[in-house]
Amino acid sequence: MTTQTQEATRYPVGGSSLITVRCPADGRAVGTVPDMTPAQVHEVAAGLRSAQLEWEDLGPAGRAKHIRRFLDWVFDNEDRLIGIMQEETGKSWGDAAVETAVVVDTINYYTQHAAGFLADRRVKRWGPTALTKNLRIFTRPHQLVGIITPWNGPLATPIIDGIPALMAGAAVLFKPSEVTPLTWTEATRGWIDEVKAPPVMACVTGGGATGAAVVDEVDMIQFTGSTATGRKIAARAGERLIPHSVELGGKDAMIVLDDADLDRATSGAVWGGLWNSGQICVSVERIYVQDKVYDEFVRKLTGKVKGLRQGMDPDGSYATEIGAMATERQLQIVERHVTDAVERGASPVTGGKRTSEGLFFEPTVLTDVDHSMLCMREETFGPTLPVMKVRDEEEAIRLANDSPYGLAASVWSGSAERADRVARRLETGAVNINSALTATMLLVLPMGGWKSSGVGGRNGGAAGILKFCRQQAIVSERFRLKSEPFWYPYVPRTSRLQARLMRLVGAHDWRRRLGLRGRK
Ligand code: NAD
């Protein structure tokens, strides 16, 4: 296993205390970063602002060159980056390795498409005012974008928003989680010291206070994390009147109908619910299975979960599937949900407890669950699969929608029409049919939570980059006119004629068009 002790000294550290990062698998200290003060955040932000204009002037093609070189650097350092990530998260090697795939996909997508997404746009005329005008939209980035991220995806989460923000021409101030700051600190060092790209991305480290200082510095804030923190950030962004996009928690439901392919559905549940030890916002958190196939589903699911290997496996070995929980606090939430469920009558068919060493929680299948239990109502963010029997589609939809969250869901059925019918009635920002987690990985589709799962969204083709931009409406002359029809002075005859024309063109029936009815 790679041992990395990171002393993050790239940015001003005077006066900061240090945060020690520990490996969840064995408690080893694997690095330290400064707990940066608001004054230090301000200093970093000022540096980014001074570099931004030159970056914007490079244009999409110029910016893409640097970002592609950064991708080369990620490829050249892939195992080392996965090693750092594994040490600070306790993930299995395979789970950690998926994050570099996200880097590749995101960089290639936005570097190829940004020029088209950001190009000046001509707009089709509408209305009498536009008759004499040319209409266009210019796009300019927000100068400084802040990106605050949680601990579950230390490489992938900064990337999925950071790359479109950089490609838009913004400078980006990142604040990774204090639990897992090492991977992104190293990625930022690579950008500056090894890729020698312009100093338009920086990483400040620290806890909530450092994050709050980021919100106070930037022109647009992109936040990924818990709903509780998201509310605070949205409130502060509202006070500052800066745009914000907050991607928050979820309680994703999986609905298995009686015509589903149960082999596929159970494999999907295992991966969709237990990938990254269930510590992913769009994880399958609760499963509703139609009564006719319930027993067979539980039997197949349990068999597959029992076959999983747990632990933090050696570099490049792909020897385990399920890694550790990132923090003791998160592990305790999982324990509390399982204990609560069992006390209220649920049965842990497999798993159900923490292991003796490290922050591992056994992959767990719970049956006999209902909505009185925490595991069906609150975000667990752990390796648990609670399965509930339902009568029919109606009951499944009602229970799936019985949640304050609305991030994503999945529907499993042999009938495309039936699956669509159920999907349309789910109150979530995405629905995967016969798959799990997939919509989140598709940059061409929007990813945004409904209800308490977020405001705004990410990805979605052009929308994924335009959210980091300001749009400028440009109205220019189509003909050279001395005056405009509505300009002063009012001339009674002309103004009356204009009013008649407005009726003629704008009313929906002939009597009103001709002024024969509708006047009081
Ligand atoms: P968290 O809200 O505790 O922390 C997230 C980040 O916010 C950290 O960097 C933290 O330091 C920072 N922060 C804390 N208080 C702050 C404040 N007042 N102002 C500014 N920044 C502040 O979340 P977490 O426990 O790290 O992550 C787990 C949560 O993230 C889960 O709820 C999960 O569902 C959610 N999540 C959502 C998505 C999504 O795309 N919807 C993706 C991944 C994780």
Side-chain angles (χ1 to χ4, degrees):
M1 224 163 280
T2 330
T3 298
Q4 296 284 336
T5 299
Q6 305 266 316
E7 297 292 341
T9 52
R10 164 102 222 131
Y11 295 106
V13 295
S16 299
S17 53
L18 291 178
I19 296 172
T20 300
V21 181
R22 293 189 179 277
C23 176
D26 53 20
R28 244 174 335 126
V30 290
T32 57
V33 291
D35 188 2
M36 292 172 77
T37 63
Q40 291 168 326
V41 173
H42 176 73
E43 198 179 322
V44 176
L48 289 170
R49 281 191 191 280
S50 65
Q52 183 272 335
L53 208 52
E54 220 173 296
W55 177 245
E56 187 182 346
D57 283 348
L58 288 177
R63 297 193 286 273
K65 270 189 200 153
H66 292 289
I67 292 175
R68 287 198 183 109
R69 283 220 308 277
F70 177 66
L71 175 59
D72 295 342
W73 178 81
V74 171
F75 274 126
D76 296 347
N77 291 274
E78 188 182 0
D79 283 358
R80 203 168 56 78
L81 285 169
I82 297 174
I84 298 171
M85 204 189 327
Q86 208 190 21
E87 288 198 313
E88 63 180 350
T89 59
K91 290 177 194 244
S92 65
W93 185 269
D95 280 0
V98 172
E99 297 207 27
T100 50
V102 176
V103 179
V104 178
D105 196 36
T106 307
I107 289 184
N108 285 331
Y109 180 69
Y110 285 108
T111 52
Q112 278 175 41
H113 291 89
F117 293 155
L118 298 170
D120 297 347
R121 274 174 292 153
R122 279 200 170 277
V123 177
K124 209 171 156 204
R125 283 179 204 89
W126 165 262
T129 315
L131 285 174
T132 60
K133 304 287 177 255
N134 286 321
L135 315 182
R136 284 166 300 157
I137 297 173
F138 292 174
T139 299
R140 291 278 314 277
H142 291 289
Q143 188 180 40
L144 184 58
V145 167
I147 296 187
I148 301 178
T149 47
W151 41 256
N152 59 340
L155 185 62
T157 317
I159 279 283
I160 46 180
D161 291 301
I163 295 302
L166 286 166
M167 274 309 299
V172 185
L173 180 55
F174 290 94
K175 209 298 282 173
S177 167
E178 60 275 35
V179 178
T180 57
L182 302 179
T183 310
W184 197 252
T185 299
E186 174 56 13
T188 312
R189 192 198 64 73
W191 171 272
I192 301 284
D193 291 348
E194 300 196 25
V195 179
K196 301 207 182 305
V200 287
M201 98 173 191
C203 173
V204 291
T205 51
T210 312
V214 169
V215 182
D216 282 347
E217 288 292 338
V218 298
D219 307 317
M220 187 270 172
I221 185 75
Q222 163 65 49
F223 172 76
T224 307
S226 64
T227 297
T229 310
R231 279 188 213 284
K232 288 186 202 160
I233 288 178
R236 183 62 189 140
E239 275 169 17
R240 290 200 56 226
L241 284 181
I242 58 166
H244 58 281
S245 179
V246 292
E247 323 298 328
L248 310 176
K251 188 72 193 167
D252 291 5
M254 169 174 184
I255 296 179
V256 183
L257 300 177
D258 56 8
D259 57 353
D261 171 346
L262 295 187
D263 287 322
R264 183 174 167 80
T266 46
S267 295
V270 172
W271 185 70
L274 304 180
W275 185 71
N276 214 25
S277 302
Q279 300 168 112
I280 167 159
C281 54
V282 286
S283 213
V284 170
E285 287 249 337
R286 50 199 172 116
I287 306 176
Y288 303 99
V289 185
Q290 233 179 315
D291 48 10
K292 210 168 111 194
V293 295
Y294 175 86
D295 289 339
E296 195 184 348
F297 180 90
V298 171
R299 188 178 53 75
K300 284 179 190 272
L301 180 72
T302 308
K304 287 177 185 174
V305 172
K306 279 184 174 162
L308 295 169
R309 298 158 297 176
Q310 188 163 33
M312 190 173 122
D313 47 347
D315 287 10
S317 65
Y318 296 92
T320 64
E321 285 83 26
I322 311 293
M325 307 302 298
T327 63
E328 173 65 33
R329 185 176 161 268
Q330 193 57 46
L331 196 146
Q332 283 175 10
I333 293 173
V334 180
E335 263 186 325
R336 188 161 56 85
H337 284 198
V338 172
T339 307
D340 168 81
V342 172
E343 280 172 7
R344 290 170 191 272
S347 315
V349 189
T350 180
K353 58 182 190 313
R354 67 190 295 165
T355 60
S356 53
E357 272 176 37
L359 303 184
F360 294 94
F361 196 92
E362 293 173 352
T364 299
V365 176
L366 289 168
T367 54
D368 303 315
V369 293
D370 61 46
H371 275 220
S372 71
M373 300 172 186
L374 294 174
C375 70
M376 298 301 276
R377 292 200 322 267
E378 293 185 5
E379 188 180 44
T380 308
F381 224 58
T384 55
L385 293 168
V387 195
M388 185 170 170
K389 193 188 287 186
V390 291
R391 261 189 326 276
D392 51 22
E393 266 172 56
E394 279 307 315
E395 188 178 18
I397 293 166
R398 182 178 60 73
L399 288 168
N401 286 338
D402 178 22
S403 170
Y405 294 111
L407 199 51
S410 63
V411 181
W412 303 73
S413 168
S415 154
E417 296 80 48
R418 208 175 165 203
D420 275 3
R421 188 170 68 218
V422 173
R424 275 184 212 287
R425 293 183 53 200
L426 295 177
E427 296 285 314
T428 56
V431 180
N432 293 293
I433 293 173
N434 293 330
S435 73
L437 313 186
T438 319
T440 308
M441 299 173 186
L442 299 172
L443 299 172
V444 291
L445 288 178
M447 178 199 174
W450 292 7
K451 303 198 274 187
S452 295
S453 289
V455 172
R458 60 162 65 93
N459 304 337
I465 193 165
L466 292 176
K467 72 185 238 189
F468 297 112
C469 299
R470 297 162 293 175
Q471 302 212 341
Q472 197 172 37
I474 303 293
V475 182
S476 56
E477 288 176 312
R478 189 175 173 202
F479 311 112
R480 287 271 152 95
L481 296 174
K482 281 215 179 317
S483 177
E484 297 277 336
F486 293 102
W487 286 5
Y488 294 153
Y490 289 134
V491 178
R493 219 161 46 132
T494 318
S495 296
R496 282 191 202 106
L497 184 64
Q498 282 170 352
R500 266 189 223 120
L501 273 172
M502 179 195 70
R503 285 188 150 256
L504 199 60
V505 176
H508 291 174
D509 61 280
W510 279 108
R511 298 191 69 181
R512 286 188 177 81
R513 279 184 187 150
L514 298 174
L516 303 175
R517 191 172 75 146
R519 274 220 165 111
K520 296 239 162 105

